[in-house]
Amino acid sequence: MRQLTTEHLTELLTDHEPPCISLYQPTHRNHPENQQDPIRYRNLLAEMEKSLRQKYPTREARTLLEKFQTLAHDESFWNHRTAGLAILSSPDTFQLFELQRTVKTLLVVADSFHTKPLLRALQAADRYQILGLNRHEAKLYEGNQDALDEVELADAVPATIEEALGDELTEPHATVASYGMGAGGGGLAMHHGHGQKKDEVETDNDRFFRAIDQAILEHHSRPTGLPLMLAALPEHHDLFHKVSHNPFLMSDGIMMNTDALDLDQLRAEAWRVVEPVYLHRLAKLSDDFQAARSQDHGSDDIAQIAKAATAGRVGTLLVEDDRQIPGRIDRATGQVQPADLSDPEVDDVLDDLAEAVLRMKGEVVVVPTERMPSKTGAAATYRF
């Protein structure tokens, strides 16, 4: 699975050369449900081609469609899906993301990308990562309460001790000597190791764990801001925590090798660790909002929040999951313009709020209805 980060979303929110194609499709992890996924995808491509040819020359439309069409008959691609697929493409970019929660089928060809489903997936409060580690290799997983998938490691992250240490890795070697051999050649062959002693093995482990810690922090933890738990044998936990400088690393973890568990078992073990942290985070966000509102540094009034978000005043925005408020926000004035959600051109005000806050480098958290500190669908804590 390719990791989705705030950086990706911010880049997609910038201006791109049109047409900007946004394709969202629910997909399936297992057979036989996944057999329908490529068929639905090809139907979407037919709609896309029709839409493009209405406005763009045939040659230009054909060029834009090529990368999409390459996937249409890629059997391996369709046999390894998650719960949702997002592809955003323009003449200057082609981005594909696998989503852990399903999305509605949607195809938008416009002058800018439709990013709202990505925003919801990115800002869910229950997301976390797992670092599966042993003496020889590292794996990274990302999940939520309902799903877990292995993450494609960034190119700069070593997956094995050989990749991490290269020529500096201690090479084991051994010689064989025979003792007590007589003229008849009888005797016992004795193996003597003259290379990789215990202290050398421990030194390699230490260096490997340090390399993994630094690379994961730089290329995965910082870009996502997600809590990270270690899944490893008990003897590896002490060493890794001793050498780690990752502020996202949780004190609690999973005391077993990930190879001993399938993905659903690993997800269940992880959620036992993450759930208390998740609930504590939501409670603190709620308390912070209540305290800010009592001092006029926060609000749950949608119109007030919209103006504050446009002005860059919102530091943290809580958005109610699965809630929609039809309308638009004027990006210049912050005015909320009510509308009918049945109109395909109408957006969701809550998603527009979230986009405005992200553009101003604020934090957005999608919160379950029962954990929201307001009844309006949004709760904002102001910077000033």
Side-chain angles (χ1 to χ4, degrees):
M1 185 183 82
R2 187 189 176 204
Q3 192 173 48
L4 173 64
T5 69
T6 302
E7 194 173 293
H8 288 131
L9 187 59
T10 301
E11 193 275 332
L12 290 168
L13 289 173
T14 61
D15 292 333
H16 288 269
E17 181 184 348
C20 295
I21 303 169
S22 307
L23 182 152
Y24 294 91
Q25 178 185 338
T27 49
H28 300 84
R29 297 173 183 272
N30 302 313
H31 183 86
E33 292 87 355
N34 62 2
Q35 289 183 305
Q36 296 301 313
D37 294 343
I39 298 173
R40 295 190 180 97
Y41 179 78
R42 290 193 289 270
N43 290 338
L44 284 173
L45 292 197
E47 291 181 34
M48 184 190 303
E49 182 173 7
K50 182 178 179 182
S51 178
L52 286 171
R53 293 190 187 283
Q54 289 177 355
K55 190 173 181 181
Y56 297 93
T58 300
R59 180 177 298 177
E60 188 172 350
R62 186 183 303 120
T63 301
L64 291 166
L65 285 164
E66 282 178 357
K67 290 184 178 179
F68 286 94
Q69 290 171 335
T70 299
L71 295 175
H73 301 283
D74 187 337
E75 186 174 339
S76 175
F77 175 82
W78 292 105
N79 283 338
H80 299 87
R81 295 296 87 226
T82 53
L85 174 66
I87 305 178
L88 294 96
S89 177
S90 72
D92 58 13
T93 189
F94 185 87
Q95 302 280 352
L96 185 153
F97 302 101
E98 297 161 288
L99 308 177
Q100 293 183 304
R101 288 191 167 107
T102 191
V103 289
K104 293 181 179 179
T105 301
L106 181 66
L107 174 65
V108 179
V109 180
D111 292 337
S112 61
F113 288 121
H114 182 84
T115 59
K116 301 188 190 309
L118 288 185
L119 187 148
R120 290 294 175 116
L122 182 66
Q123 304 301 335
D126 62 345
R127 295 170 66 217
Y128 59 88
Q129 292 184 336
I130 301 171
L131 175 61
L133 189 64
N134 59 39
R135 293 180 184 273
H136 307 290
E137 65 178 353
K139 296 179 181 179
L140 188 67
Y141 304 85
E142 188 172 306
N144 54 45
Q145 184 174 358
D146 304 310
L148 182 74
D149 295 284
E150 187 171 351
V151 172
E152 180 182 337
L153 290 173
D155 291 340
V157 179
T160 65
I161 192 171
E162 290 82 8
E163 290 180 21
L165 303 187
D167 294 339
E168 296 180 8
L169 178 65
T170 303
E171 290 291 342
H173 59 276
T175 59
V176 179
S178 295
Y179 293 89
M181 289 187 176
L188 181 63
M190 304 293 290
H191 293 257
H192 288 266
H194 295 287
Q196 195 171 25
K197 300 176 182 177
K198 182 178 179 181
D199 58 343
E200 293 172 329
V201 172
E202 291 177 350
T203 298
D204 281 352
N205 288 339
D206 182 282
R207 291 157 62 212
F208 176 45
F209 286 3
R210 288 178 189 274
I212 289 295
D213 178 66
Q214 181 179 348
I216 291 293
L217 172 60
E218 180 178 351
H219 298 285
H220 293 281
S221 292
R222 280 204 183 107
T224 63
L226 295 178
L228 176 72
M229 79 182 71
L230 179 64
L233 294 176
E235 59 264 31
H236 297 329
H237 277 257
D238 285 344
L239 175 58
F240 189 80
H241 278 270
K242 187 181 298 182
V243 304
S244 177
H245 295 283
N246 190 332
F248 301 94
L249 180 64
M250 302 169 64
S251 57
D252 294 329
I254 299 172
M255 297 291 178
M256 61 182 73
N257 192 321
T258 57
D259 292 338
L261 304 169
D262 63 30
L263 281 179
D264 195 55
Q265 291 171 325
L266 184 58
R267 180 204 57 77
E269 290 293 329
W271 188 245
R272 291 191 189 99
V273 179
V274 172
E275 186 176 24
V277 178
Y278 161 72
L279 294 177
H280 175 75
R281 182 191 181 204
L282 291 184
K284 186 177 186 306
L285 288 168
S286 178
D287 290 345
D288 289 348
F289 165 72
Q290 300 288 11
R293 182 169 59 175
S294 69
Q295 301 174 20
D296 292 327
H297 292 311
S299 177
D300 61 358
D301 182 277
I302 298 295
Q304 291 181 18
I305 296 173
K307 291 181 180 179
T310 304
R313 292 182 57 211
V314 178
T316 302
L317 176 69
L318 309 184
V319 177
E320 184 177 330
D321 195 13
D322 295 328
R323 177 88 172 259
Q324 287 185 316
I325 299 177
R328 299 185 185 89
I329 296 177
D330 188 306
R331 291 177 60 176
T333 66
Q335 290 287 336
V336 177
Q337 304 166 348
D340 186 348
L341 201 59
S342 62
D343 182 342
E345 299 298 320
V346 169
D347 288 330
D348 174 17
V349 169
L350 294 179
D351 284 330
D352 282 354
L353 280 178
E355 286 189 5
V357 171
L358 286 177
R359 285 193 182 96
M360 296 296 183
K361 308 300 181 184
E363 179 185 19
V364 179
V365 183
V366 178
V367 178
T369 301
E370 65 274 15
R371 302 286 175 181
M372 277 293 292
S374 73
K375 301 296 184 183
T376 64
T381 299
Y382 297 152
R383 292 183 172 118
F384 53 89

